[in-house]
Amino acid sequence: MKVLVIGNGGREHAIAWKIAQNCLVEKVYCAPGNGGTHVENKCENINLDKIDDLVKFAKEEHIDLTFVGPEAKLVEGISDVFKAEGLKIFGPSKKAAQLEGSKSFSKDFMKKYGIKTAAYEVFTEIEPALKYVKTCPYPTVIKADGLAAGKGVVICQTVEEASNTLNEFMINDVFKGSGKKVVIEQFLDGVEASILSFTDGNTIIPFISSKDHKQIFDEDKGPNTGGMGVIAPNPYCTVDVLEDFNENILKPTLLGINSEEMDYIGVIFFGIMITKDGTYLLEYNVRMGDPETQAVLPLLKSDFTELVLAAIDKKLSSFNLEWEKGSSCCVVLASKGYPGSYETGKIIEIKPSKGKVFAAGAIYEDGHLKTSGGRVLSLVSIGSNLDEAINNTYEELSSVNFEGAYCRKDIGKLYK
Ligand code: AMP
Ligand code: GLY
């Protein structure tokens, strides 16, 4: 089999690495890939981005399967185009991708199908939105409707902050259209969990849970990032929480997908909030999490490529998904200054390690791996329990280094 993986993050490195483990896979093309996929077993980077070019490549190279990593291409409708050309692709249709591409679409979907989520209002005009935030309870959460590269959610503590946010989103148009419409939502207090899953439209198979660490500094301080580390499974996802999730979130979601005839074959990632009043759905993503994927996939015992093919063949209901017994811990190494401005082009040294290194903002240039982004690498280890996984990862950290490398020292430490 020849497989095409679209994307260039740590997530896509982990996906390509896992797909390559199937003995029937002879080659994994990564478009565009990164410095990690450049050297990964069976992988080759190709410098293509536009959907038309990817279709042409898939046809010419007789690609058997395409896996779409990031959300933007799915929202653009890549799956519909590939399918219309008779190409096998793993990723939801443009219509289904609206579950991530539009917050108001996803909240309306949640409401329609009785999925437990925070109360909300949608606004397309600034005046009623400004009036609303004068009377709503605080903190309150303002969300840009469209894709905003992870920056479209602001938790506002005061009327003034809320009004400023509305002005930035709706008038100053900081997200170039994506914030013209906003969702204003009830604030939920609790702990978050990420539940990645696969669906074939008839069945949703949840993966083991995971816990991201979004803030840049230890003790969950400082600005939000794309994610600084992950542990899996998530210790807060108890049997009771998972039961609540299954009944009040997963099952009605599947009903909705069916009723709306969404043609959903792909990833559905539930971002949930576990509160003292039960488990709420914060958001859907139609792609895998980053860095959740880097922590979760090393624990997957079943063959990942077979799982993807089972979803495409609508045979997930009979797939026996198996996990290793232990835990995993993923720590992200970022460039100094991230998530603000940072320098690139630093040479990355990697010594042999018992952990697995996935590259993200790293390119291969002049015979060296060099930094090219904010989140540069993730290092992942597994262990027979969470403490062992955490220790293993931190012990191996000295095997990777570059000038100004920064990581959180407390991934997996539980504060609540
Ligand atoms: P979202 O893109 O909707 O997941 O929002 C990004 C982040 O904002 C989430 O991971 C939460 O940390 C936070 N967030 C979103 N909605 C809420 C909410 N209703 N209450 C509290 N925090 C929220
Ligand atoms: N790590 C959070 C996300 O991928 O959305």
Side-chain angles (χ1 to χ4, degrees):
M1 263 192 293
K2 287 187 190 172
V3 182
L4 172 62
V5 174
I6 297 174
N8 67 352
R11 166 181 56 206
E12 286 77 21
H13 185 182
I15 290 168
W17 164 78
K18 202 71 183 171
I19 287 175
Q21 287 173 11
N22 181 301
C23 59
L24 297 178
V25 172
E26 68 182 79
K27 188 102 179 178
V28 183
Y29 291 100
C30 302
N34 60 36
T37 53
H38 176 78
V39 291
E40 191 58 68
N41 184 31
K42 300 188 193 172
C43 293
E44 182 179 327
N45 289 350
I46 51 161
N47 196 14
L48 297 176
D49 178 50
K50 292 204 178 72
I51 293 180
D52 288 352
D53 294 337
L54 292 163
V55 166
K56 192 163 168 266
F57 177 83
K59 281 184 160 174
E60 281 172 7
E61 292 296 325
H62 305 288
I63 297 294
D64 299 288
L65 168 67
T66 297
F67 191 114
V68 189
E71 62 278 12
K73 286 266 180 302
L74 294 165
V75 173
E76 221 183 297
I78 189 169
S79 290
D80 309 66
V81 179
F82 266 60
K83 280 185 199 161
E85 296 285 343
L87 294 162
K88 217 178 241 192
I89 188 161
F90 184 67
S93 62
K94 185 172 183 170
K95 180 175 171 186
Q98 287 299 298
L99 286 176
E100 176 164 1
S102 163
K103 299 268 187 209
S104 59
F105 178 91
S106 72
K107 292 294 286 191
D108 291 348
F109 175 92
M110 292 176 209
K111 191 174 184 178
K112 184 167 175 189
Y113 292 98
I115 295 155
K116 199 158 157 183
T117 191
Y120 70 103
E121 299 285 339
V122 179
F123 296 93
T124 48
E125 303 291 334
I126 183 116
E127 287 310 324
L130 287 171
K131 201 168 157 200
Y132 177 78
V133 297
K134 283 195 181 124
T135 54
C136 71
Y138 281 82
T140 198
V141 187
I142 300 184
K143 301 184 172 185
D145 186 62
L147 294 182
K151 299 193 172 77
V153 176
V154 181
I155 296 171
C156 302
Q157 304 294 339
T158 61
V159 179
E160 194 190 359
E161 199 183 339
S163 308
N164 289 342
T165 302
L166 290 172
N167 265 307
E168 283 293 293
F169 283 20
M170 302 179 89
I171 304 297
N172 297 342
D173 196 18
V174 285
F175 299 124
K176 311 224 174 337
S178 282
K180 289 270 186 192
K181 192 178 192 180
V182 296
V183 171
I184 306 184
E185 185 172 295
Q186 168 201 9
F187 174 80
L188 297 172
D189 192 16
V191 287
E192 280 180 65
S194 303
I195 302 189
L196 312 179
S197 65
F198 272 17
T199 185
D200 58 9
N202 299 321
T203 304
I204 299 179
I205 301 196
F207 287 12
I208 51 160
S209 59
S210 54
K211 183 180 190 301
D212 194 4
H213 296 64
K214 290 207 165 95
Q215 291 85 0
I216 183 76
F217 300 127
D218 286 8
E219 298 181 24
D220 294 338
K221 301 220 166 90
N224 266 356
T225 68
M228 293 302 293
V230 168
I231 50 168
N234 183 323
Y236 294 101
C237 287
T238 59
V239 172
D240 285 352
V241 165
L242 290 174
E243 178 59 28
D244 187 1
F245 164 74
N246 195 39
E247 285 303 313
N248 297 310
I249 297 174
L250 188 147
K251 281 187 185 168
T253 296
L254 188 57
L255 179 69
I257 286 174
N258 275 310
S259 307
E260 303 290 323
E261 296 180 3
M262 279 188 165
D263 187 16
Y264 202 143
I265 295 179
V267 174
I268 181 157
F269 159 4
F270 301 86
I272 62 173
M273 184 73 94
I274 304 161
T275 77
K276 61 177 178 17
D277 303 318
T279 300
Y280 288 75
L281 180 62
L282 287 180
E283 62 164 352
Y284 295 110
N285 294 304
V286 297
R287 38 91 193 164
M288 297 186 56
D290 189 337
E292 283 90 338
T293 303
Q294 294 91 304
V296 166
L297 287 189
L299 287 172
L300 179 63
K301 213 164 159 183
S302 309
D303 186 273
F304 187 65
T305 310
E306 282 175 14
L307 177 65
V308 174
L309 293 172
I312 291 176
D313 293 340
K314 290 189 173 282
K315 288 188 177 145
L316 280 187
S317 63
S318 56
F319 197 93
N320 181 23
L321 191 65
E322 289 188 284
W323 298 94
E324 302 291 348
K325 286 263 173 330
S327 289
S328 77
C329 172
C330 161
V331 172
V332 169
L333 264 84
S335 298
K336 187 179 166 194
Y338 173 79
S341 56
Y342 51 81
E343 289 177 9
T344 57
K346 311 288 181 198
I347 291 180
I348 303 168
E349 290 163 37
I350 304 187
K351 294 191 209 121
S353 149
K354 281 185 257 156
K356 175 70 191 166
V357 176
F358 295 115
I363 50 166
Y364 207 77
E365 200 179 66
D366 309 327
H368 292 286
L369 197 57
K370 292 184 184 171
T371 67
S372 61
R375 291 188 298 167
V376 175
L377 303 169
S378 33
L379 180 68
V380 186
S381 299
I382 59 177
S384 59
N385 56 44
L386 178 59
D387 285 341
E388 197 179 300
I390 294 170
N391 287 339
N392 288 346
T393 301
Y394 280 104
E395 267 173 23
E396 293 297 323
L397 259 186
S398 56
S399 64
V400 282
N401 200 21
F402 54 90
E403 191 191 314
Y406 168 80
C407 70
R408 274 181 63 161
K409 302 287 181 299
D410 67 342
I411 298 302
K413 195 162 169 199
L414 308 177
Y415 293 107
K416 278 200 182 178

